[in-house]
Amino acid sequence: MVRDDSFSADERAAIYRCIAARRDVRRNFLPDPVPDAVLARVLAAGHAAPSVGFLQPWNFIVVRSDETKAALHAAFSRANAEAAEMFEGERAQLYRTLKLEGLREAPLLLCITCERDRAGPVVLGRTHQSEMDIYSTVCAVQNIWLAARAENLGVGWVSILDLADLSRILAIPDPIVPVALLCMGYVDQFAATPDLERAGWRQRLPLEELVFLERFGEKVGT
Ligand SMILES: Cc1cc2c(cc1C)N(C[C@H](O)[C@H](O)[C@H](O)COP(=O)(O)O)c1[nH]c(=O)[nH]c(=O)c1N2
């Protein structure tokens, strides 16, 4: 049955293509600025995300200044040096070759935060699973990532930073938690596969190994 709110086959194909073609991008950003109207659409996609108790716990901090980007990059460099020490042998060597941020090259950075006390301590849906507001914010991040891809904007998530550094640099007050720092900008092409896959860090897992029937560990069709 085709209803007015049904997706057409073309629309469906576009959505799946966007999901498959989304990449984590942290290199080859073009200097072209992200127009305000495009950013507004991408942020509206974030704001349309589902949220526990309809809390909408997010804030979006837009960073364009070289000064703030440099401070964030310095925080990344400190954390990344510590991170490199946590791997051993060949892994540590390979880690040091990876490009894991595009904080200075990207024309725009976006920090997505979670205001955990936005509606007081008792929130519908968060009563028994306290992280649900954080997860809601991650839903907003993913909406932004996909909308950006549809706008042909590359997005890279940079999590190799101390949260305290992030809060200090972006003046995020205490009850508000930074959830994601994204670098964003136009790129001339999107890779077909994840950078980490091409670098030999990890391969994509076969989906069938991850799907169970009724109980964890019970394979479909066995
Ligand atoms: C929560 C979270 C945090 C990070 C990431 C992702 C997510 C979901 N990723 C990107 C990650 O490496 C990438 O998504 C996978 O390698 C898969 O690649 P595609 O996103 O499919 O291109 C990421 N990449 C990176 O280079 N530096 C980083 O700090 C992070 N941090």
Side-chain angles (χ1 to χ4, degrees):
M1 186 179 69
V2 179
R3 304 188 320 253
D4 284 352
D5 60 357
S6 293
F7 280 84
S8 68
D10 284 353
E11 288 171 329
R12 193 157 48 243
I15 298 273
Y16 282 120
R17 185 167 99 76
C18 184
I19 290 170
R22 181 210 52 76
R23 284 275 77 77
D24 185 72
V25 176
R26 55 262 189 188
R27 66 178 84 236
N28 301 333
F29 285 108
L30 303 171
D32 316 34
V34 178
D36 287 344
V38 174
L39 178 61
R41 288 197 293 269
V42 168
L43 293 180
H47 191 43
S51 61
V52 68
F54 200 30
L55 187 61
Q56 306 155 78
W58 39 73
N59 297 289
F60 307 107
I61 305 173
V62 179
V63 173
R64 296 188 201 267
S65 82
D66 287 343
E67 194 186 348
T68 308
K69 289 177 188 174
L72 290 168
H73 184 264
F76 163 82
S77 298
R78 283 194 295 277
N80 198 41
E82 292 168 6
E85 296 296 321
M86 297 177 192
F87 298 95
E88 287 176 6
E90 282 180 14
R91 263 337 236 179
Q93 271 180 356
L94 180 56
Y95 183 89
R96 288 189 169 86
T97 68
L98 300 171
K99 170 101 168 87
L100 299 173
E101 54 75 42
L103 293 168
R104 289 173 302 182
E105 306 92 308
L108 189 147
L109 308 181
L110 192 60
C111 181
I112 298 104
T113 65
C114 179
E115 192 159 344
R116 306 203 70 177
D117 62 356
R118 181 152 285 173
V122 184
V123 173
L124 185 159
R126 194 181 62 180
T127 49
H128 292 74
Q129 297 187 28
S130 62
E131 301 298 301
M132 288 303 120
D133 49 355
I134 303 283
Y135 296 172
S136 303
T137 306
V138 176
C139 291
V141 175
Q142 180 70 349
N143 270 13
I144 286 170
W145 214 335
L146 290 172
R149 180 62 187 89
E151 298 282 359
N152 298 309
L153 281 169
V155 166
W157 188 327
V158 186
S159 56
I160 307 165
L161 284 114
D162 223 44
L163 284 182
D165 281 340
L166 198 46
S167 291
R168 178 180 44 78
I169 294 165
L170 299 180
I172 299 169
D174 218 4
I176 302 182
V177 180
V179 170
L181 177 65
L182 306 179
C183 25
M184 187 183 289
Y186 291 105
V187 281
D188 46 20
Q189 72 174 61
F190 286 83
T193 52
D195 273 14
L196 291 186
E197 187 170 358
R198 281 180 289 116
W201 187 260
R202 268 180 83 75
Q203 302 305 303
R204 188 174 297 284
L205 303 173
L207 175 58
E208 58 274 20
E209 287 182 11
L210 310 175
V211 180
F212 304 123
L213 191 61
E214 301 290 345
R215 284 185 174 72
F216 190 88
E218 291 191 16
K219 284 291 175 59
V220 178
T222 57

